[in-house]
């Protein structure tokens, strides 16, 4: 008998076929292996048991098997074992490997004296770009951005050699036949020693635009405060933290604290930016007001060589004008970055898909993705029990940190972040990305899931598609994303979810964001919530934290409270009028705005925020060193019988403490502690021992809050599920929208439920 094995999972572009080839030969089996649109097919003749065992046990590092089907066939008498050309044809939502960081073998090779010495495009079957160079599936060189680079004889023989690390590596290249870098500066082009020249420019305080894997970056010396200030000035980026690259872990440890889990993530094939506690020694304007720095390690030979030419870390931030998408095209980069960069280090291989660096931090012992992009996208999430017959769906996401989601064939693919949808350029890029993903994955949705907020651009674009629309409540989507990430089945029991967020539209038409919800995939019931406080000036209150301070004080303590804390502020009378008459002051039960208000009271909030969450992040940083202080106590807020959590005692306590001259850090710590204690008490009254509680929403990115609340709930016998591989912020919204929409559609089809 022969066997036909069909494998789905991450099996294309990760050295899987060469691995199968070697394994079959080692076991003396004949047959073939080939890429199919949705995975890999293997034909085996001979006794296959050992093969199947070792296939799973010895899988290449970046490969993953989701499903493996074996069918028995009559023998075909094939001779030997071969790798066949790919099968053309239907693709469906197949699995495409994410871009993989430079592997240890290639790193050694680039540093060595062989023919790839110093070659910036060195890669192999286990490393190199994937998603950003794939034009269409199946993954083979003619359908990638490497197609124009015909293999030289030496590369061709490595490619054909079954025992070579580059056997069937589609990104194979060398200085003889592959793409090259050049440097443009002041209208002049240099082709020799260009990486050394770029490093020299950075050492001298210059700003260099560098074409990487998923887009252009801007680089400068991270130890040079003037260079960083100039970069901020040219890029119109006021205070938002800048990402850094260090040469290696050893250098990184001079500037930041690195735990075991962080070290593992930094060195992983995804090579994300990891937020680490800063130790000083670099320019003070890299992340003003923050106590952490975002570091990554070199993930291409180019980055490695640049870092080898520098004495200290460099700033490496995505190259775009503020609010615009990252540049990916050479001419576009030269135009857009004129006056921003001093020189351009570019190459001739097109970037087919924009993909920023990923950002994460470790909290409560697990990685927490903040921005899920290079190294993770487009890895798919296999859907759990009950979703087997889910139709193809598109979910549009939110307007901040927009990402969309394709669901179909029992899996969900969350797109790369598209940016904030207020900008017309981002909207255009998002439409292009939608079309691109749908073509690449052969995805044809039968319905579109959107947020209920009528003003979201993402919702409007979704409605324009002319397909049936399913509205999903904002915080329901946040919590459903956690449920699906943790593999909860479609028909599980309702759970308690705590969603602490900025602003989202509630099912009653009001603005929500501090919510206790009873949720399953299909439905969502509001059980308790933060007291609703007006947003004086609406949109303006999102950007200006002091407005929330005025509104919170007025609500908790009356106008006298406002006068005690903010009496010297200009324009207060006008705000008072707005609040009294309810002019442009929609009430919102937002947790994010509570953080803004407290940050403003404790002097941590800028007059106008430069980016979402700025004040809240500063407040967290202020509190962190005091969280172990024995003077911490709980101001004693509680939930009313009607399920409303009011913050009057919090405000009274904070004002007493600040008037008494208590350290601001201790006040910030007492605030965090009070929040955790209040949430825990409310959760206790809404759940029973042994229950599972879901946590999500942008505010849950606060590490003190996530860790403190998780610990308190676990200590009282609750299980806690929180976001890890998908963002807690609106970047993860579309994943939740997609699965809620499936549940709603299937609920309609089966009236028995
Ligand atoms: Zn490699
Ligand atoms: Zn070559
Ligand atoms: Fe949200």
């Amino acid at each position: 008998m022969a066997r036909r094995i069909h494998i789905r999972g991450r099996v294309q572009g990760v050295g899987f076929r060469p691995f199968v080839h070697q394994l079959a030969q080692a076991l003396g089996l004949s047959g073939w292996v080939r890429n199919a649109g949705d995975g890999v097919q293997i034909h085996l003749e001979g006794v296959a048991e050992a093969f199947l065992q070792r296939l799973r046990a010895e899988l290449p590092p970046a490969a993953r098997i989701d499903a493996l089907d074996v069918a028995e066939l009559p023998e075909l008498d094939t001779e030997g074992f071969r790798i066949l050309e790919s099968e053309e044809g239907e693709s469906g939502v197949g699995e495409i490997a994410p871009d993989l960081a430079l592997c240890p073998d290639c790193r050694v090779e680039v540093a060595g004296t062989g023919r790839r010495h110093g070659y910036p495009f060195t890669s192999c079957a286990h490393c190199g770009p994937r998603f950003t160079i794939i034009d269409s599936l199946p993954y083979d060189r003619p359908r990638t951005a490497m197609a124009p680079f015909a293999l030289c004889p030496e590369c061709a023989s490595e490619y054909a050699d079954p025992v070579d690390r580059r056997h069937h590596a589609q990104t194979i290249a060398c200085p003889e036949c592959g793409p090259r870098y050049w440097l443009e500066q002041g209208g002049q082009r240099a082709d020799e020693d260009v990486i050394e020249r770029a490093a020299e420019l950075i050492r001298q305080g210059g700003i260099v635009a560098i074409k990487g894997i998923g887009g252009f970056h801007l680089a400068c010396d991270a130890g040079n405060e003037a260079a960083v200030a100039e970069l901020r000035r040219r890029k119109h980026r006021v205070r938002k933290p800048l990402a850094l690259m260090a040469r290696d872990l050893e250098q990184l440890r001079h500037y930041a604290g690195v735990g075991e889990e962080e070290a593992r993530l930094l060195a992983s094939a995804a090579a994300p930016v990891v937020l680490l506690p800063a130790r000083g020694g670099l320019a003070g304007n890299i992340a003003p007001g923050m106590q952490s720095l975002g570091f990554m390690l070199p993930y291409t030979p180019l980055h490695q060589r640049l870092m080898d030419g520098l004495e200290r870390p460099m700033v490496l931030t995505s190259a775009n004008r503020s609010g615009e998408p990252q540049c990916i095209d050479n001419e576009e980069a030269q135009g857009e970055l004129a006056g921003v960069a001093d020189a351009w280090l570019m190459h001739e291989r097109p970037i087919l898909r924009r993909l920023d660096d990923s950002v994460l931090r470790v909290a409560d012992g697990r990685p927490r993705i903040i921005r899920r992009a290079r190294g993770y996208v487009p890895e798919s999430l296999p859907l759990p029990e009950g979703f087997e017959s889910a139709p193809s769906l598109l979910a549009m996401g939110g307007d901040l940190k927009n990402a969309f989601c394709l669901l179909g064939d029992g899996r969900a693919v969350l797109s790369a972040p598209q940016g904030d949808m207020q900008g017309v350029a981002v909207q255009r890029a998002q439409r292009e990305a939608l079309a691109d993903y749908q073509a690449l994955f052969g995805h044809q949705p039968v319905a579109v899931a959107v947020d209920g907020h009528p003003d979201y651009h993402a919702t409007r674009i979704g409605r324009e598609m002319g397909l049936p629309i399913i509205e999903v409540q904002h915080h329901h989507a946040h919590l459903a994303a956690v449920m699906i990430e943790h593999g909860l089945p479609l028909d599980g029991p309702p759970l308690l979810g705590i969603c602490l967020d900025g602003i989202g539209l509630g099912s009653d038409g009001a603005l929500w964001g501090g919510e206790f919800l009873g949720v399953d995939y299909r439905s969502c019931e509001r059980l308790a919530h933060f007291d609703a406080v007006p947003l004086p000036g609406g949109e303006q209150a999102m950007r200006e934290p002091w407005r929330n301070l005025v509104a919170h004080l007025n609500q908790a303590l009356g106008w006298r409270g406002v006068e005690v804390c903010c009496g010297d502020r200009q324009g207060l009378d006008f705000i008072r009028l707005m609040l009294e008459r309810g002019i442009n002051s929609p009430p919102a039960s937002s947790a994010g705005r509570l953080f803004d208000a407290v940050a403003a009271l404790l002097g941590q909030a800028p007059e106008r925020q430069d980016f979402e969450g700025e004040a809240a992040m500063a407040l967290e940083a202020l509190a962190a060193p005091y969280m172990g202080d024995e003077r911490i106590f709980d101001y004693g807020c509680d939930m009313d019988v009607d399920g409303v959590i009011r913050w009057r005692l919090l405000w009274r306590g904070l004002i007493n403490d600040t008037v008494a001259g208590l350290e601001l850090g201790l006040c910030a710590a007492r605030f965090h502690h009070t929040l955790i204690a209040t949430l825990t008490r409310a959760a206790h009254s809404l759940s029973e021992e042994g229950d599972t509680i879901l946590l999500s929403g942008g505010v849950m990115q606060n590490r003190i809050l996530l860790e403190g609340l998780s610990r308190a709930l676990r200590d009282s016998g609750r299980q806690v599920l929180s976001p890890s591989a998908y963002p807690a912020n609106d970047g993860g919204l579309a994943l939740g929208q997609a699965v809620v929409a499936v549940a709603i559609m299937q609920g309609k089809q089966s009236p028995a439920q």
Side-chain angles (χ1 to χ4, degrees):
M1 288 300 269
R3 285 186 175 76
R4 185 67 56 89
I5 305 168
H6 189 155
I7 300 176
R8 302 208 329 177
R10 195 207 279 175
V11 287
Q12 291 192 16
V14 289
F16 191 77
R17 288 177 301 166
F19 158 69
V20 168
H21 184 269
Q22 281 166 30
L23 185 57
Q25 288 209 314
L27 294 169
L29 301 169
S30 59
W32 48 258
V33 58
R34 73 179 170 201
N35 278 348
D38 63 345
V40 161
Q41 280 186 328
I42 304 169
H43 181 83
L44 274 188
E45 309 213 339
V47 184
E49 276 61 40
F51 176 89
L52 286 171
Q53 248 176 28
R54 286 181 59 183
L55 184 81
R56 287 188 186 274
E58 297 166 22
L59 213 55
R64 192 192 71 225
I65 294 177
D66 291 339
L68 187 152
D69 300 310
V70 184
E72 301 207 337
L73 293 174
E75 293 224 9
L76 298 174
D77 291 325
T78 50
E79 269 182 38
F81 197 91
R82 287 176 304 145
I83 295 180
L84 298 186
E85 284 299 301
S86 296
E87 195 183 38
E88 300 280 348
E90 99 285 17
S91 59
V93 178
E95 185 74 16
I96 299 174
D99 303 274
L100 305 166
L102 179 64
C103 76
D105 289 340
C106 287
R107 194 182 300 271
V108 167
E109 205 175 334
V110 173
T113 54
R115 66 194 193 93
R116 289 194 179 86
H117 166 72
Y119 182 55
F121 293 89
T122 300
S123 65
C124 73
H126 307 293
C127 75
R130 297 289 187 271
F131 185 51
T132 51
I133 61 160
I134 294 175
D135 182 46
S136 60
L137 293 179
Y139 173 59
D140 272 325
R141 190 162 173 119
R143 287 177 290 271
T144 71
M146 292 301 287
F149 305 97
L151 298 188
C152 71
E154 274 182 280
C155 283
S157 81
E158 289 172 344
Y159 185 86
D161 179 358
V163 298
D164 195 281
R165 195 170 93 247
R166 297 197 172 86
H167 184 41
H168 276 245
Q170 310 304 343
T171 54
I172 189 171
C174 77
E176 204 48 48
C177 64
R180 291 150 197 257
Y181 269 95
W182 69 91
L183 187 76
E184 291 204 18
Q185 187 184 7
Q188 305 282 330
R189 172 174 167 148
D191 291 291
E192 299 295 319
D193 303 324
V194 296
I195 300 174
E196 289 69 24
R197 286 176 193 230
E200 177 62 24
L201 272 169
I202 292 169
R203 280 201 305 271
Q204 290 168 354
I207 296 167
V208 181
I210 299 169
K211 188 177 186 180
I213 296 292
F216 275 80
H217 286 101
L218 291 167
C220 74
D221 179 359
N224 183 336
E225 193 145 345
V228 176
E230 183 62 15
L231 173 63
R232 286 193 175 279
R233 191 188 66 77
R234 293 187 193 173
K235 215 188 150 189
H236 304 294
R237 182 150 160 161
V238 187
R239 287 180 304 270
K240 194 172 177 187
L242 300 165
L244 300 166
M245 181 175 274
R247 184 179 58 226
D248 49 31
L249 266 177
E250 195 195 333
Q251 186 191 56
L252 204 167
R253 287 184 206 274
H254 288 113
Y255 303 101
V258 187
E260 210 174 297
E261 179 70 355
E262 282 102 345
R264 185 187 69 77
L265 292 160
L266 284 161
S268 70
V273 174
V274 180
L275 300 187
L276 303 165
R279 285 197 167 144
L282 294 174
N285 49 354
I286 291 169
M290 305 294 149
Q291 284 174 347
S292 61
L293 291 173
F295 270 103
M296 57 189 145
L297 294 177
Y299 53 87
T300 71
L302 172 88
H303 294 129
Q304 189 64 64
R305 282 189 55 197
L306 262 177
M307 293 313 302
D308 287 343
L310 300 174
E311 275 110 53
R312 50 194 181 192
M314 66 176 175
V315 167
L316 196 64
T317 180
S318 53
N320 55 338
R321 290 195 181 272
S322 201
E324 302 254 316
Q326 188 177 12
C327 299
I328 56 173
D329 175 79
N330 290 357
E331 281 182 20
E332 172 200 358
Q334 282 177 287
E336 295 247 324
L337 303 175
V340 178
D342 298 313
W344 284 257
L345 184 57
M346 299 192 287
H347 61 74
E348 58 208 318
R349 182 174 69 196
I351 295 172
L352 300 185
R353 223 154 270 116
R354 183 177 286 114
L355 200 56
D356 211 342
D357 297 312
S358 293
V359 180
L360 54 78
R361 87 196 287 191
V362 173
D364 198 30
R366 300 184 64 174
R368 309 288 172 173
I369 292 221
I370 295 166
R371 182 167 70 208
R372 187 178 179 277
R374 179 185 51 74
Y376 299 101
V377 175
E379 181 152 35
S380 73
L381 181 70
L383 298 179
E385 192 190 322
F387 287 92
E388 294 83 359
S389 57
S392 282
L393 272 176
L394 171 67
M396 296 300 294
D399 258 15
L400 287 172
K401 301 181 171 67
N402 179 267
F404 53 85
C405 180
L406 311 183
L407 184 148
D409 292 339
R411 54 188 59 231
V413 173
L414 185 67
S415 82
Q418 304 296 315
D420 293 346
M421 295 286 284
Q422 280 86 348
V424 178
V426 172
Q427 290 170 27
R428 194 185 323 119
Q430 196 249 21
R431 284 177 197 266
E432 285 167 13
L434 262 174
D436 169 51
Y437 276 65
Q438 291 193 302
L440 182 65
F441 290 99
H443 188 254
Q444 293 178 320
V446 299
V448 180
V450 298
D451 192 274
H453 201 300
D455 298 339
Y456 277 7
H457 296 281
T459 298
R460 184 173 50 75
I461 293 171
R463 287 187 188 280
E464 284 169 10
M465 289 179 188
L467 292 167
I469 293 288
I470 299 161
E471 280 187 7
V472 180
Q473 197 272 323
H474 191 94
H475 308 99
H476 187 196
H478 271 306
L479 294 168
V482 182
M483 294 167 68
I484 203 78
E485 179 188 338
H486 291 277
L488 302 190
L490 178 59
D491 279 315
L495 302 173
L496 176 64
I498 307 176
C499 191
L500 301 187
D501 206 22
I503 298 281
L505 190 72
S507 55
D508 60 357
L511 299 175
W512 292 5
E515 310 301 318
F516 285 75
L517 303 171
V519 290
D520 54 21
Y521 286 109
R522 203 161 290 143
S523 61
C524 167
E525 183 192 354
R526 195 181 202 196
L527 302 175
H529 58 90
F530 287 14
D531 190 19
V533 175
L535 302 172
E539 276 289 310
Q540 271 175 293
M542 314 280 195
R543 291 194 206 96
E544 299 177 6
W546 66 269
R547 289 173 180 265
N548 299 291
L549 175 60
V550 171
H552 265 274
L553 287 171
N554 184 46
Q555 180 122 337
L557 307 167
W559 195 254
R560 278 189 53 96
V562 178
E563 280 171 343
V564 169
C565 301
C566 326
D568 49 357
R569 177 171 275 283
Q570 303 278 306
L572 264 192
D573 290 344
F574 183 61
I575 300 285
R576 185 176 189 178
L577 198 73
M578 286 172 83
L579 290 173
E580 279 174 356
R581 305 218 176 139
I583 304 164
N584 192 19
S585 299
S589 56
S590 166
R593 299 296 81 81
L594 174 65
F595 271 82
D596 287 354
V598 174
L601 178 75
L602 301 182
Q604 299 306 304
E607 187 67 16
R608 201 179 160 79
Q609 297 198 95
D610 184 38
F611 57 95
E612 192 203 8
E614 181 179 12
M617 284 163 72
L619 187 62
E620 181 188 349
L622 180 71
Y626 286 88
M627 287 314 293
D629 196 298
E630 56 195 14
R631 291 171 294 166
I632 286 188
F633 68 85
D634 169 14
Y635 291 126
C637 300
D638 269 309
M639 184 173 75
D640 297 356
V641 280
D642 51 354
V644 181
I645 297 169
R646 293 177 212 276
W647 300 109
R648 214 171 79 82
L649 294 175
L650 167 75
W651 286 109
R652 183 187 284 172
L654 280 173
I655 287 170
N656 285 341
D657 285 350
T658 47
V659 168
L662 202 72
E663 298 112 288
L664 295 178
L666 185 55
C667 295
R670 285 181 177 174
F671 161 67
H672 279 82
H673 182 71
T674 299
L675 191 62
I676 292 164
T678 310
L679 291 165
T680 305
R681 282 193 295 270
H684 284 171
S685 68
L686 294 168
S687 68
E688 318 228 319
E689 222 179 302
D691 281 0
T692 295
I693 297 181
L694 311 166
L695 307 180
S696 191
V699 175
M700 286 294 181
Q701 290 175 116
N702 180 309
R703 181 173 171 170
I704 298 171
L705 178 63
L706 179 70
E707 291 185 342
L709 185 56
S710 301
R711 199 175 307 126
L713 293 173
R714 279 195 298 259
D715 286 351
S716 58
R718 273 70 172 175
Q719 319 254 350
V720 176
L721 298 179
S722 52
S724 170
Y726 291 86
N729 60 51
D730 282 7
L733 204 60
L735 178 64
Q737 289 173 345
V739 292
V740 169
V742 168
I744 291 174
M745 285 176 78
Q746 298 205 335
K748 277 183 186 154
Q749 280 161 10
S750 51
Q753 292 182 349

